[in-house]
Amino acid sequence: MLAETAACAFYQAALLSRFMSEIALDKIRFPHSHLLGIEGLSPDVISLLLDRAESYVEHNRQADKNLSVLSGRTIINLFYEDSTRTRTSFELAGKKLGGNVINMSVATSSVKKGETLIDTAMTLNAMHPDVLVVRHNDSGAVKLLSEKVNCAVINAGDGRHEHPTQALLDALTIRRRKGKISGLRVAICGDIAHSRVARSNIHLLNTMGAEVRLIAPKTLIPSGIKGLGVEVFNDMNTGLKGCDIVMMLRLQTERMGGGFFPSVREYFHFFGLDYEKLANAKEDALIMHPGPMNRGVEIASEVADDLGRSAIREQVEMGVAVRMACLELLSANLDKGERS
Amino acid sequence: MSRIAYINARLLDPASGLDAPGALLSEGEMISDFGPHLFSDGVPENIATIDCQGHCLMPGLVDIRVQLREPGEEYKGTLESAGRAATAGGVTSMVCLPNTNPVIDDMSVLEFVARRARKLGLAKVYPYGAVTKGLKGEELAEIGLLSESGALAFTDGIKPVSDAQIMRRALSYASNFGQMIIQHAEEPSLASGGVMNAGETATRLGLGGIPREAEIIMVERDIRLAEMSGGRLHFAHLSTAEAIDAVRKAKTRGLNISCDTAPPYFALSEIAVGDYRTFAKLSPPLRAEDDRLAVIEGLKDGAIDAIASDHAPHDEESKRLPFAQAAFGGVGLETLLPVTLELFHNGHMDLLAALALITSAPADLVGLKAGRLEKGAAADLTLVDLSRGWKIDADKMHSISKNSPFDGHLVQGLALKTIVDGRTVFELDG
């Protein structure tokens, strides 16, 4: 107890320090060896990650950005799905902390030649990386891979399951704009069925005490989702009433077999975010989108570009800070014990 | 002719209701006598004796749903490995699905499988014939000729006959030959993209769901088609309350419709999928607790006629994959007996009623003269220690593939010895 309080006080003090690389992390540990999802993380752990990320936001705005926290560490980005922002964001985060970052994209690797996920894991593992950042199109694939390697694994999105760093960067954005997460009413709108971002956000927002609403046509609401602790709406005007945060999701047409809705025109008419629908939310409601956006499909251009209300660009900025915190905290755990 | 006396046995015959201490005599391949008083004055000197030490001597199990991987996928399982797994599990007769490669939609393949199995002399193998050529669901296979060559019934195996018109004609045509159609009831368009039971767990894991209605709809549809065509219809491995209820109601209406289930559906639920455990990826998928209880209810009240293992061997490469990519199915020959005995040990059914579901009842469904103690019948027996507790260990299984959804489960009841045609083909070490 005493140690905890001391650690906490120490940490608070440390936050004020401009010399990030000097901070000793031995007393504030991330209590897991991997970051596979938000489900199961305690509020304290989420706050720890957010606080740590917060400290990097200011730092990243400085001219001298390079630290040596991860010096000597190797981070491999293994992306089975195309990604621009997440992969770049992880790459930047790793490099800013002084780590060696290697990008492996599936198009150029042996995966194309038929190598199984586990064989790839074993091969990479033999190169002794410190952190593997993995994105895969199958739910659970990142967990499967994490069971076969000795390094820390960060889930950069697995199928429709989880995308924890996206939820964390969303939370950081919300916390900075609203000063808190607890007690806020958050609407997550659109393609819930195919969205890992929605699932991670539901877990995070619930854990942190927000009220979560889902708004989508019934065909895009997966069965049993209420069990995750959300209220479901099938109409934007009702669902957005009194919301502090409006999170739009990208329509993932690439994951759809067809037949979830008749046309983009009809979808936008009923579920696309425009000023008219937004008027139902609170006046200072914040608009978010994980990107990449389909303008005129789930969100009107003028809403997306409304600098006063849209936090979409800020989300991208927070992404780097959050990933720095994740890489740092997971790597810090690696020093415990020897790895074979 | 070799004569063997099995003495000090607890004789169990679910078909006749016999449960008494006694002895059994086999002569050559046949049971020549059995009963409480046999050898009460001692065994004559010229007869070999096996002392059962008070354990249960019962008819060998009859498993009416087994996938063999020979011919075609011998790396997953062979007739021999299936035969060894079967006898280790007390199974002496098994009926195999036609989804081998080549498919059993032709007399030559059917005869190949039957001949190979006979040569091995392990558990007896009886094939089902394919309903449609190549299991494609388009044209009827040669049901009459296959029937003449010994196909016990007809099924497209792990695929449903989904076209209603084909199903109607199959039921109708097969009834010319007194043959039954066995359906894997799952409406493919509803199940498409699904890898586990639809619902909260699937949503939480981000996995595509197979709704319960996929099974219910096909069962309800096929009951209508059977009624319309006058065909004989059987549903394999039912897993949902409403589908079982539809069969229950069809039976009370006097229709000749039957169904079976498999141990996972009364002993496990979707919780077993846990964190993407691919060994729990089955077809139909493991359902929620309510359905599991409904399956037990169906077994108790007779809505479900039999239990089959649904043995589906897969090698590691087919299972060590992300959940969505992994193959459906689990091995079951070696766990059919102990998991079925859970129904007895947990107080759901009395012993003979539970054992009937894996002996005489399935034999009767497919018209096999097996699964009962009868003078003049083949001496296909198993000696079972009913109360011995053990832990299912997939690594110790006889099957080449070890993909058991029951790995690590604690069970009670174990085959000690299995006898086929009067020969001991399996004996438990230690």
Side-chain angles (χ1 to χ4, degrees):
Chain A
M1 209 48 203
L2 199 66
E4 253 182 56
T5 322
C8 198
F10 170 78
Y11 179 57
Q12 293 291 334
L15 264 184
L16 302 172
S17 165
R18 292 277 302 273
F19 303 97
M20 239 62 66
S21 58
E22 304 290 312
I23 300 171
L25 271 169
D26 51 319
K27 296 241 168 66
I28 39 166
R29 287 209 175 277
F30 182 70
H32 307 281
S33 19
H34 308 296
L35 177 64
L36 300 176
I38 298 293
E39 190 177 14
L41 296 186
S42 70
D44 288 352
V45 170
I46 292 170
S47 296
L48 166 68
L49 284 164
L50 295 181
D51 291 344
R52 195 67 190 162
E54 178 85 52
S55 70
Y56 283 120
V57 174
E58 283 312 311
H59 169 81
N60 287 344
R61 290 179 179 171
Q62 308 299 316
D64 178 19
K65 297 190 183 75
N66 291 334
L67 298 169
S68 55
V69 177
L70 293 185
S71 128
R73 298 288 195 198
T74 305
I75 298 145
I76 300 182
N77 280 335
L78 177 62
F79 277 62
Y80 284 81
E81 267 184 356
D82 289 338
S83 157
T84 312
R85 68 187 66 210
T86 306
R87 192 181 52 71
T88 313
S89 180
F90 268 110
E91 186 175 354
L92 208 54
K95 286 184 171 161
K96 281 186 177 193
L97 293 174
N100 297 314
V101 184
I102 293 156
N103 287 315
M104 255 189 79
S105 70
V106 173
T108 54
S109 77
S110 51
V111 176
K112 267 274 155 84
K113 298 169 194 160
E115 190 174 68
T116 67
L117 178 66
I118 287 174
D119 285 339
T120 306
M122 302 294 219
T123 306
L124 293 180
N125 194 45
M127 299 174 188
H128 302 289
D130 297 288
V131 185
L132 268 177
V133 177
V134 187
R135 168 169 289 189
H136 198 281
N137 44 357
D138 279 317
S139 302
V142 180
K143 166 154 198 325
L144 177 66
L145 188 142
S146 75
E147 289 162 1
K148 310 291 171 189
V149 296
N150 300 316
C151 58
V153 174
I154 297 179
N155 181 359
D158 64 324
R160 324 169 181 181
H161 177 226
E162 284 233 38
H163 190 354
T165 56
Q166 178 70 42
L168 288 165
L169 74 88
D170 288 343
L172 184 59
T173 310
I174 296 171
R175 210 176 71 165
R176 283 169 60 90
R177 285 287 193 104
K178 299 287 179 189
K180 59 173 185 176
I181 297 171
S182 176
L184 294 178
R185 179 178 286 177
V186 184
I188 305 176
C189 316
D191 187 1
I192 314 286
H194 303 96
S195 177
R196 52 194 174 216
V197 175
R199 283 168 180 76
S200 286
N201 265 314
I202 292 168
H203 293 309
L204 189 145
L205 293 165
N206 270 330
T207 306
M208 301 309 280
E211 176 196 336
V212 186
R213 295 178 160 196
L214 304 181
I215 315 175
K218 287 185 178 176
T219 46
L220 292 175
I221 297 281
S223 68
I225 193 94
K226 283 184 187 161
L228 271 60
V230 295
E231 213 181 334
V232 175
F233 293 82
N234 306 116
D235 172 72
M236 287 287 271
N237 294 322
T238 337
L240 287 177
K241 288 236 159 69
C243 283
D244 298 284
I245 311 287
V246 183
M247 282 187 178
M248 300 308 296
L249 297 172
R250 189 171 65 85
L251 262 192
Q252 302 201 47
T253 40
E254 73 275 15
R255 287 180 202 275
M256 292 185 190
F260 285 86
F261 56 90
S263 71
V264 163
R265 183 172 74 166
E266 181 161 328
Y267 184 83
F268 184 75
H269 179 73
F270 291 103
F271 293 97
L273 188 67
D274 52 21
Y275 279 120
E276 202 185 320
K277 297 186 190 92
L278 185 58
N280 292 287
K282 281 194 185 159
E283 241 174 76
D284 62 346
L286 196 63
I287 298 154
M288 303 175 72
H289 193 298
M293 281 183 282
N294 297 312
R295 288 166 184 272
V297 179
E298 69 259 356
I299 190 163
S301 273
E302 67 263 28
V303 177
D305 297 333
D306 185 337
L307 289 179
R309 310 195 61 177
S310 159
I312 296 172
R313 281 178 217 170
E314 199 175 322
Q315 284 174 274
V316 178
E317 185 190 353
M318 294 307 121
V320 178
V322 155
R323 283 156 188 142
M324 287 170 84
C326 294
L327 288 170
E328 181 194 17
L329 288 167
L330 281 169
S331 312
N333 284 352
L334 294 174
D335 290 330
K336 284 182 184 171
E338 217 160 276
R339 288 177 299 138
S340 53
Chain B
M1 200 185 299
S2 79
R3 296 201 290 172
I4 303 168
Y6 300 84
I7 58 165
N8 292 327
R10 175 178 170 191
L11 296 172
L12 293 179
D13 182 37
S16 65
L18 172 71
D19 179 357
L24 182 144
L25 174 67
S26 72
E27 288 191 56
E29 299 183 354
M30 307 289 192
I31 298 174
S32 62
D33 201 2
F34 65 95
H37 305 297
L38 183 66
F39 304 129
S40 51
D41 302 328
V43 183
E45 266 184 27
N46 57 346
I47 299 179
T49 304
I50 291 175
D51 186 345
C52 298
Q53 298 180 316
H55 294 303
C56 298
L57 187 65
M58 58 176 279
L61 275 50
V62 178
D63 188 349
I64 57 168
R65 193 174 175 89
V66 174
Q67 293 186 51
L68 297 174
R69 302 298 185 203
E70 183 180 347
E73 291 178 295
E74 286 80 357
Y75 59 96
K76 289 187 174 183
T78 59
L79 280 161
E80 185 178 353
S81 76
R84 299 231 174 270
T87 52
V91 175
T92 54
S93 298
M94 50 184 172
V95 193
C96 69
L97 301 190
N99 63 336
T100 45
N101 183 16
V103 169
I104 308 182
D105 60 357
D106 181 274
M107 292 172 291
S108 60
V109 187
L110 187 137
E111 278 156 15
F112 167 82
V113 171
R115 192 171 58 244
R116 281 273 295 142
R118 260 199 314 278
K119 261 188 159 170
L120 287 167
L122 295 163
K124 295 167 180 171
V125 175
Y126 303 93
Y128 289 129
V131 177
T132 63
K133 284 179 187 145
L135 309 176
K136 290 200 178 101
E138 292 159 5
E139 297 168 75
L140 291 184
E142 292 170 323
I143 290 176
L145 290 172
L146 284 162
S147 180
E148 232 174 43
S149 306
L152 283 195
F154 291 83
T155 177
D156 271 357
I158 60 170
K159 288 187 185 169
V161 179
S162 66
D163 186 293
Q165 185 69 286
I166 300 274
M167 186 60 174
R168 172 196 175 189
R169 292 201 181 120
L171 282 161
S172 174
Y173 188 77
S175 68
N176 284 326
F177 305 94
Q179 289 284 12
M180 175 166 82
I181 301 291
I182 299 175
Q183 177 74 304
H184 161 67
E186 186 172 81
E187 169 51 45
S189 60
L190 270 180
S192 130
V195 294
M196 73 169 290
N197 189 37
E200 187 186 327
T201 309
T203 293
R204 192 178 283 273
L205 294 171
L207 295 173
I210 300 174
R212 304 167 65 254
E213 287 74 9
E215 175 173 297
I216 300 162
I217 284 174
M218 179 95 41
V219 166
E220 288 177 342
R221 181 200 80 171
D222 286 355
I223 289 173
R224 297 286 162 202
L225 294 175
E227 195 169 7
M228 175 182 179
S229 59
R232 171 77 180 89
L233 173 63
H234 177 85
F235 295 107
H237 52 210
L238 290 189
S239 65
T240 58
E242 289 90 333
I244 294 162
D245 198 43
V247 172
R248 184 182 285 124
K249 289 195 173 114
K251 284 177 173 175
T252 53
R253 277 165 49 217
L255 297 175
N256 197 1
I257 285 169
S258 54
C259 69
D260 66 67
T261 192
Y265 306 110
F266 59 82
L268 299 174
S269 71
E270 64 182 355
I271 293 167
V273 172
D275 248 347
Y276 304 101
R277 230 176 124 246
T278 57
F279 280 14
K281 181 177 177 182
L282 306 177
S283 171
L286 291 170
R287 307 286 185 186
E289 184 65 6
D290 287 351
D291 281 321
R292 186 183 78 84
L293 296 174
V295 171
I296 294 177
E297 219 33 60
L299 289 164
K300 283 163 74 173
D301 72 9
I304 301 173
D305 300 83
I307 298 170
S309 76
D310 214 357
H311 184 75
H314 286 295
D315 60 336
E316 279 203 11
E317 274 56 54
S318 309
K319 284 287 191 181
R320 280 177 48 179
L321 290 169
F323 198 88
Q325 292 178 33
F328 285 100
V331 291
L333 281 165
E334 288 165 79
T335 49
L336 176 62
L337 175 68
V339 182
T340 299
L341 281 172
E342 280 187 6
L343 294 168
F344 162 64
H345 290 304
N346 294 342
H348 294 300
M349 301 178 88
D350 68 43
L351 179 61
L352 291 181
L355 292 177
L357 292 166
I358 47 176
T359 54
S360 54
D364 291 349
L365 278 174
V366 295
L368 269 184
K369 202 171 177 299
R372 35 174 51 87
L373 298 184
E374 232 165 23
K375 287 181 195 174
D380 294 346
L381 308 164
T382 185
L383 182 65
V384 174
D385 181 341
L386 271 191
S387 52
R388 190 191 298 190
W390 59 290
K391 187 174 170 180
I392 294 173
D393 180 352
D395 287 338
K396 291 190 180 148
M397 287 185 169
H398 295 74
S399 166
I400 293 179
S401 295
K402 316 288 186 196
N403 54 308
S404 170
F406 293 110
D407 190 23
H409 279 238
L410 297 171
V411 287
Q412 217 179 337
L414 183 64
L416 303 174
K417 198 188 277 286
T418 301
I419 297 115
V420 172
D421 288 337
R423 292 171 294 112
T424 296
V425 290
F426 166 77
E427 216 168 345
L428 186 73
D429 313 320

